[in-house]
Every structure is written in C-alpha cells, then in structure tokens.
Amino acid sequence: MSCSGTPVPQRTTTFHSSSPLNPWRLRRGFGTLSGMIDRDLMRHNPDKFKNSLTKRGEDPKLIDKYLELDIKWRSLMADIEPLRAKKNTLSRGGKPTPVVLKKAKEISKKISEVEDDLKKAEVIARTALLSLPNLVADDVPVGEGESANTVVERVGKIRLTEGRPHHELMTKAGWLDLKTAADWSGSRYRYLKGDAAWAHLQIMGEALRLAVHYGFTPVIPPVMTKAETLEKAGYLPFLKDDFFKVERDDLLLPGTSEQTLLALFANKTFKEGELPIRLVGFSTCFRREVGSYGKDVEGMFRQHQFDKVEMVSVTTPEKSAEEHEFLVSMEETFVKKLGLPYQKVLIGSGDLGPTAAKKFDLEAWFPSQKRYRETHSASNCTDFQSRRFGIKYRAQDGRELLAHTLNGTLATERLLISYIENNQRPDGSVNLPRHWRI
C-alpha cells in the first residue's frame, strides 16, 4: 500500500530527581522497572533517544538525567545482592552463635537501609522513564510544532467555499441546545436533538458496520477506568491534566476507547498466526481540552463529552507499517462514503503525541471556517504501549517478542457537523439523507 494514494481496505516532558509520583496514584512495586521504553537500547544507544527528543522539540538532556538515575538504581541493586547472599550463608547450619546472631543483625540493618534507598531510587527512575515519549519514526518530517505537518493529498470536490457554521444551522433546526447544556452542565456540553441525534447514531452505526465488515470485533468498553490503564496506554503522566476524575472512586474518564481496549490484551502472549487482532470500540469519551481555552468555543467542534468509534490493532513489527496504512484506508473509505472533501496529513515530529511514532490525520472541509479541520487520526505506537501492557506474541521460531499496537479514529461527532455544513441550503436548511431522519 502506498501512503501517497488511497489504499484499498483488505478484509481479514520534563522530570526532576526530587519529583514524587504524579497525583493519579500510579501503581507501585516497580521491581525491575519493566515497561515504558527499551531501557537496554537507551543504555547502549542514548543518541538515538536524544535525537528523537530533539525532533519532538524536547530537551535531549532528559536522557542523560535518566541514565544517571538508572546507574544509581543499578548500583544499589548490585550492593544489595551480596548482602542478601551473606545473610543466607549465616542462616545455614545449626544453632547460630551469639557472634553469628550479631553479624546477621548488622547485615539485616544494612539490607534494610539499602532497600529503603533502592525503593526511593526505583520511584524516581520509574517516574523519569514514564516521562519519556515514544521514538519518532525515521520517515516522519521534522519541524517545530505544526510546521512540519505535510499534506499528502486532497480528495473530493469542495462544493461550498463558505457558509453558515453548524451550530447556527442546527440551533435553527431545533437540533442543538447549547444554552441549556451550559446552564445545567457547563460550557462545552450540548443537547443533541431530533434528526441530528438520529443522524449521529446512524453515522456511528455505519462506522461500526464498516469495521465489522472488514474483520474488526466490536466492543463497548467501560466508560471509566483506573489510572494504571491510562499510564500503560502511554497517556499518563503526559496528559494528566486532560482527564476528568471521579474523586470518590478514584477513577478517570478516558478520552478514547483505545486505552481501555488495549487493557483487553494486557499480559497476553499471542501466536504469530493470530495477528493482526483488530477491535473497534464505541464509547462516550471525555476531555478537559486543557490548553484550548478560547479555541472553537462555539458549537460542537471541541466538546468535553463526545462519542467515538475507535479502531485498535495488535500486530507484528514487520506488519505494523502496512497495518497503519490499512487503518488510514478505513478512515478514508468512511469519509468518502459520507461524500466529504478532505485532506490527508502526515503529522510532523513537533506535533506528535507521546505514544505515536508516526501519525496521519484526516481533515474534513468546514465551509464556515473556509479550511480543513481534523476529524480523524491514525497512529502507529510501535512497541511503546505493548511494553507497558506486556502485550507479546510468540514468533514461529519460538521467541516471545513485543507486539506493535496501532489505533485510528473511524467516527466522531465532527463528521456530523462537517456533513451538516457541507450540505446546507441557501435558506439555512440542511439536506440530510432520508435514513438519517426520524
């Protein structure tokens, strides 16, 4: 499959050594500091990780700081093993003499002191390791912020070069009530009503049917989850301020079902022949939209609550690039099905999220804004998430290897509002398909 064309779907951060763990009560008991990124590779090839951080616009000295913490942790591990061995030797044999008891007590005290230091070093080193994002793929364009985002192609004819915004059209039709939602729930919430509510459900259903047709297993996941889920999915501690938290139960509201879908694979080893495994989740999602103050305030484009159909794949490293293009092709197929003009964008290094090694966005046309806006994304997360979750596969030669995980949006409410804007009439009415109407 080629990234430059539309592939045909095939069926089948900063840390400090004194920083405590973040306030989401992440799992303790670090032991061997498993998960996160490849520590052995970083120890032997730190420049690879420094270069990746530089591409992201982050400080490459974070690698040096982590390696210093890693050396301290390994030194303490080396110190404690001889002490434990010596204590075991003293405990062998018959009844211990007073001299032996005294010596054993001294060693136990020393072990306790080293263990305390080791526990502290583990916490600091693990927190630092969690703060390092995925390695950027070699073919990702490099640039600060959104500057390197590259339009790969534009598809579809733009019929309306300008028009009324969706929220005006929908409010006039009695489909949208933002005022009551703001009065009783707060800003960035909505009441979706009448034909628009029905159309939204039809779009979600059509997206699910398309995914199932191409071999995805549908899943409706929990709408709340533990912080550990989001940590292992690679969203904590990076985006901790973007999640809503249920204080009483110490649970978080995920911003995408990708995170809870991945938990289905945690600590599992698949046969190579079983891959790829593809799931499609439908869920209501929540985001605080931290950092977006003043952006897209009007209408439904940037809401705290929204519905989403999300694809997740688990595959081998050799097939992950192909799987990535497959997910993008699924997104393109659905946008074409809705008849929306769009552009495909390869995201540059400075605009990548922490979990993604490479990402494509699809941006649909919004006449009221006279520009394309993001409606879909598809990310190849390589082994970043599988290392945290312990998702493996057994190769044909018997080796257990880390799988690659990928995700892609298939539908959100942004498709509905783009469709409404692109199908508005001069009198302010909207041409919805008959099966989208009540």
Side-chain angles (χ1 to χ4, degrees):
M1 299 183 189
S2 170
C3 289
S4 60
T6 303
V8 178
Q10 305 294 318
R11 287 197 70 168
T12 53
T13 63
T14 303
F15 61 83
H16 306 280
S17 60
S18 59
S19 297
L21 280 177
N22 71 62
W24 301 102
R25 299 184 184 179
L26 305 184
R27 183 176 63 87
R28 287 164 169 75
F30 312 122
T32 58
L33 294 178
S34 60
M36 305 91 187
I37 59 178
D38 191 334
R39 291 179 302 127
D40 289 333
L41 178 61
M42 183 162 50
R43 290 166 182 164
H44 292 96
N45 191 0
D47 288 343
K48 182 180 182 70
F49 291 83
K50 290 180 181 180
N51 184 45
S52 180
L53 282 178
T54 300
K55 288 180 179 180
R56 288 179 176 272
E58 299 185 31
D59 187 358
K61 292 181 180 177
L62 291 175
I63 301 302
D64 293 325
K65 292 178 181 179
Y66 168 72
L67 291 175
E68 290 175 6
L69 297 170
D70 183 54
I71 289 172
K72 181 178 180 180
W73 173 76
R74 285 191 289 164
S75 176
L76 289 167
M77 287 290 290
D79 289 344
I80 204 168
E81 290 307 320
L83 291 171
R84 288 171 175 166
K86 195 169 185 178
K87 182 181 178 181
N88 290 337
T89 300
L90 290 173
S91 65
R92 295 181 189 140
K95 185 178 180 180
T97 65
V99 174
V100 171
L101 286 173
K102 181 180 179 182
K103 188 67 174 176
K105 187 175 181 180
E106 292 173 352
I107 293 175
S108 294
K109 182 180 179 182
K110 182 63 176 176
I111 289 175
S112 180
E113 292 172 353
V114 176
E115 283 180 338
D116 286 344
D117 291 340
L118 181 61
K119 185 179 295 185
K120 293 175 184 176
E122 286 174 345
V123 171
I124 294 170
R126 186 174 189 273
T127 303
L129 198 58
L130 279 169
S131 300
L132 297 175
N134 200 357
L135 286 169
V136 176
D138 293 337
D139 57 348
V140 169
V142 178
E144 183 179 353
E146 300 179 1
S147 65
N149 291 354
T150 304
V151 176
V152 177
E153 63 176 335
R154 287 179 174 161
V155 179
K157 182 179 179 180
I158 295 174
R159 301 185 302 275
L160 295 177
T161 56
E162 59 183 8
R164 295 182 177 93
H166 67 273
H167 52 91
E168 287 186 11
L169 297 166
M170 296 171 72
T171 300
K172 178 183 177 182
W175 296 343
L176 181 66
D177 188 341
L178 296 172
K179 183 181 183 304
T180 304
D183 289 343
W184 293 94
S185 297
S187 61
R188 298 189 190 270
Y189 291 96
R190 84 288 182 266
Y191 281 96
L192 194 59
K193 305 188 297 180
D195 285 345
W198 187 250
H200 166 60
L201 292 174
Q202 295 305 306
I203 291 173
M204 297 291 110
E206 289 179 20
L208 288 167
R209 281 191 287 273
L210 177 69
V212 170
H213 177 73
Y214 284 101
F216 289 77
T217 299
V219 181
I220 299 177
V223 76
M224 292 188 286
T225 194
K226 298 177 181 178
E228 182 181 355
T229 310
L230 304 181
E231 175 204 318
K232 289 186 179 296
Y235 288 80
L236 290 180
F238 301 99
L239 303 173
K240 64 180 184 296
D241 293 332
D242 213 24
F243 292 99
F244 287 95
K245 184 176 182 181
V246 181
E247 294 289 348
R248 180 175 176 179
D249 298 314
D250 200 25
L251 294 173
L252 301 176
L253 302 176
T256 171
S257 61
E258 165 205 341
Q259 300 147 356
T260 46
L261 291 178
L262 286 171
L264 288 170
F265 305 124
N267 302 314
K268 291 185 178 179
T269 300
F270 301 96
K271 296 178 182 178
E272 184 174 352
E274 295 176 320
L275 303 181
I277 296 175
R278 294 165 176 160
L279 303 181
V280 59
F282 170 77
S283 65
T284 298
C285 304
F286 300 85
R287 293 181 187 172
R288 287 190 178 277
E289 294 292 353
V290 173
S292 63
Y293 180 79
K295 295 181 180 178
D296 305 303
V297 174
E298 296 182 307
M300 290 174 53
F301 190 87
R302 196 179 297 276
Q303 296 263 292
H304 289 317
Q305 174 189 327
F306 55 95
D307 294 329
K308 190 177 185 185
V309 175
E310 181 79 2
M311 301 176 290
V312 166
S313 294
V314 177
T315 190
T316 62
E318 294 76 17
K319 295 290 183 69
S320 69
E322 179 182 347
E323 187 71 8
H324 193 194
E325 292 189 20
F326 169 72
L327 294 185
V328 175
S329 76
M330 289 289 295
E331 296 173 339
E332 292 191 78
T333 297
F334 194 57
V335 178
K336 288 176 180 177
K337 180 180 176 69
L338 299 180
L340 297 176
Y342 71 92
Q343 64 182 17
K344 179 164 66 173
V345 181
L346 175 58
I347 301 301
S349 61
D351 199 26
L352 279 178
T355 64
K358 184 176 180 180
K359 183 171 80 164
F360 286 98
D361 279 357
L362 295 190
E363 299 177 347
W365 177 254
F366 281 78
S368 68
Q369 301 183 41
K370 302 180 182 179
R371 58 174 173 153
Y372 295 94
R373 298 299 305 273
E374 178 198 339
T375 54
H376 298 73
S377 66
S379 298
N380 187 345
C381 300
T382 60
D383 63 4
F384 186 77
Q385 295 172 320
S386 58
R387 190 180 299 276
R388 293 173 172 230
F389 270 113
I391 306 170
K392 300 178 182 179
Y393 71 98
R394 191 178 301 280
Q396 294 180 358
D397 61 9
R399 291 179 300 157
E400 282 194 2
L401 303 171
L402 287 169
H404 277 197
T405 62
L406 304 96
N407 62 80
T409 312
L410 195 52
T412 70
E413 293 163 35
R414 289 185 180 181
L415 283 178
L416 171 65
I417 61 178
S418 176
Y419 189 95
I420 285 172
E421 288 201 9
N422 280 282
N423 287 275
Q424 60 181 288
R425 300 186 179 101
D427 63 358
S429 62
V430 178
N431 182 26
L432 289 180
R434 177 170 294 181
H435 69 285
W436 284 8
R437 292 181 178 273
I438 298 175

